[in-house]
Amino acid sequence: MPVNKNALIRYKTIDRCLRNRYRRWTLQDLVRACSDALCEFEGKRDGVSVRTVQGDIQIMRSEKLGYEAPIEVYDHKYYRYSDPDYSITKLPLTPADIDRISEAVDLLRQMERFNHFDRMSDIVSRLQDSIGMARGRKYPVVDFERNDDFKGLELLNPLYNHIVRRETIKVRYLSFNARQPQNYIVFPHMLKEYNNRWFLFCSRASDHKLYNFALDRIVDFKVMENFVYRDNPRFDPATYFDDIIGVTRIGVRQTIQFKASRLQAAYISTKPLHHSQHEVERHSDGAVTFEVSLIPNKEFYSVMLGFGAGVRIISPPAVVTQIQYELRNALDAYDK
């Protein structure tokens, strides 16, 4: 129900009066108080009618605005709250509001690794406590997959700040196939999470080549204060990940067909591997042939291999050959 400003002023005035239990409030007293409040806040000098205040009391008692105020009449003349601790200001939320805020709080809690959100932590904590008392539920209903032991999480916030401030940094990075860390002067652009790991997308200052650094492989970094930051026009986060799974972009886009068993097809249909995925053919045994158009990177092969015998690549031949190579190597590892 929409409520105009004058009505809200009257409700708050009535509430303020009834919370003052050191005075007896008649209907005429409440009318005068509401008239004075409207004159003070809105400049209205024509006063408020008895009928208007009676209607206000009925609305405050009802569920229309979610107040359900315990207003009672005693001695056949005076008004008060039967609950001395009641106030409409203590019940600003409807059950539906509480549900929505609870969901938002659960989501905000997932971002607590960033100091940017720490500024809200006190507000979020108080909201969480209030909602918990209001609902009697002490656990979240939304929880994202995460790995709190992942090395490099402590770098999230400082890197985030360098990106926001557009600061050039010098990174010491130890890749998996290197014995010693390498130094890179880079322009940091974006933090990306995939499969419970975080990656820094950045451009090397020397040739503007785009890199993605796994945060768990970053040894340390420092700001290059006198090195002017530059954007990379070839890196557009809105489109860069369109034709890949994960974070690795090496190779060219290909159209790939694969056949999934009945059980795997049901899973893949409800959770597509890629936004380009579509069905090509449904088979009599329940199996389904799917098609995707993407760059077959290492994350793609990892996902496909994870389906085991439930998925078979049909084309193109180069992708089939790579899958066969990976499977033979896996089998050889068990034969040793």
Side-chain angles (χ1 to χ4, degrees):
M1 169 187 285
V3 181
N4 64 43
K5 188 178 2 176
N6 292 343
L8 286 174
I9 291 173
R10 296 197 306 270
Y11 300 153
K12 284 189 172 184
T13 301
I14 295 170
D15 177 69
R16 185 178 68 251
C17 293
L18 299 186
R19 283 190 289 117
N20 180 3
R21 302 180 73 84
Y22 295 100
R23 174 176 172 177
R24 291 185 162 193
W25 297 95
T26 66
L27 183 59
Q28 287 297 334
D29 292 332
L30 296 177
V31 169
R32 280 193 292 270
C34 289
S35 297
D36 291 344
L38 286 173
C39 180
E40 178 182 355
F41 294 111
E42 294 296 308
K44 294 184 177 295
R45 301 184 180 277
D46 49 356
V48 177
S49 69
V50 171
R51 185 174 180 178
T52 296
V53 174
Q54 287 175 324
D56 291 341
I57 291 173
Q58 289 303 113
I59 289 175
M60 291 174 68
R61 282 171 168 163
S62 73
E63 300 178 355
K64 290 182 179 179
L65 298 178
Y67 293 152
E68 298 182 81
I71 301 174
E72 65 177 6
V73 180
Y74 65 104
D75 293 342
H76 304 288
K77 182 176 183 181
Y78 302 107
Y79 289 79
R80 69 182 176 190
Y81 285 142
S82 60
D83 178 0
D85 294 324
Y86 178 86
S87 171
I88 63 172
T89 61
K90 293 182 180 179
L91 297 171
L93 302 175
T94 66
D97 294 331
I98 291 173
D99 285 342
R100 294 188 185 98
I101 292 176
S102 179
E103 293 166 6
V105 168
D106 289 344
L107 294 173
L108 284 171
R109 277 297 181 202
Q110 307 302 323
M111 307 305 295
E112 59 188 4
R113 286 286 180 181
F114 293 94
N115 285 349
H116 178 72
F117 293 92
D118 282 349
R119 301 169 194 170
M120 299 176 61
S121 62
D122 182 54
I123 298 172
V124 172
S125 295
R126 282 186 278 127
L127 278 171
Q128 202 166 34
D129 289 342
S130 299
I131 291 167
M133 289 187 291
R135 303 187 66 176
R137 187 174 67 212
K138 300 181 179 179
Y139 58 88
V141 296
V142 177
D143 188 31
F144 290 105
E145 182 180 3
R146 60 189 184 272
N147 180 4
D148 291 334
D149 296 325
F150 172 68
K151 181 183 176 184
L153 287 179
E154 71 281 0
L155 305 180
L156 276 176
N157 190 69
L159 286 173
Y160 173 89
N161 290 330
H162 293 319
I163 294 171
V164 171
R165 293 196 289 258
R166 296 169 59 82
E167 293 175 332
T168 304
I169 59 176
K170 184 177 183 179
V171 177
R172 277 210 308 149
Y173 187 75
L174 179 63
S175 64
F176 285 109
N177 55 4
R179 294 185 177 182
Q180 297 296 327
Q182 300 283 328
N183 291 319
Y184 300 89
I185 297 177
V186 299
F187 310 121
H189 303 309
M190 181 184 187
L191 289 164
K192 169 79 171 176
E193 184 186 19
Y194 175 70
N195 197 25
N196 258 336
R197 297 184 72 201
W198 283 92
F199 300 85
L200 172 68
F201 279 79
C202 54
S203 299
R204 189 166 64 179
S206 60
D207 57 8
H208 232 46
K209 181 179 179 182
L210 190 68
Y211 281 78
N212 72 68
F213 291 148
L215 263 59
D216 58 312
R217 307 302 296 176
I218 294 178
V219 178
D220 56 43
F221 61 88
K222 64 178 182 179
V223 177
M224 305 294 288
E225 295 181 356
N226 298 321
F227 213 113
V228 178
Y229 181 95
R230 287 187 295 157
D231 289 312
N232 188 336
R234 291 172 293 180
F235 177 63
D236 180 3
T239 59
Y240 183 84
F241 303 97
D242 284 354
D243 51 7
I244 60 173
I245 294 174
V247 297
T248 307
R249 190 184 175 94
I250 299 176
V252 296
R253 178 192 285 261
Q254 300 183 52
T255 299
I256 301 167
Q257 286 193 3
F258 61 93
K259 183 178 180 180
S261 67
R262 179 179 60 83
L263 291 177
Q264 291 292 9
Y267 176 82
I268 294 171
S269 294
T270 56
K271 187 185 177 185
L273 307 185
H274 188 254
H275 66 83
S276 66
Q277 176 180 305
H278 63 274
E279 291 184 9
V280 175
E281 183 182 359
R282 283 190 168 267
H283 304 273
S284 58
D285 60 355
V288 178
T289 297
F290 295 95
E291 185 175 278
V292 292
S293 180
L294 49 72
I295 298 173
N297 57 10
K298 61 181 180 180
E299 290 95 327
F300 166 79
Y301 287 111
S302 177
V303 169
M304 300 307 289
L305 289 167
F307 291 116
V311 167
R312 179 172 64 87
I313 301 291
I314 299 172
S315 66
V319 176
V320 174
T321 299
Q322 183 63 35
I323 285 286
Q324 291 172 336
Y325 172 79
E326 298 290 347
L327 289 172
R328 288 194 181 101
N329 281 345
L331 184 58
D332 288 345
Y334 281 95
D335 286 341
K336 292 180 180 179

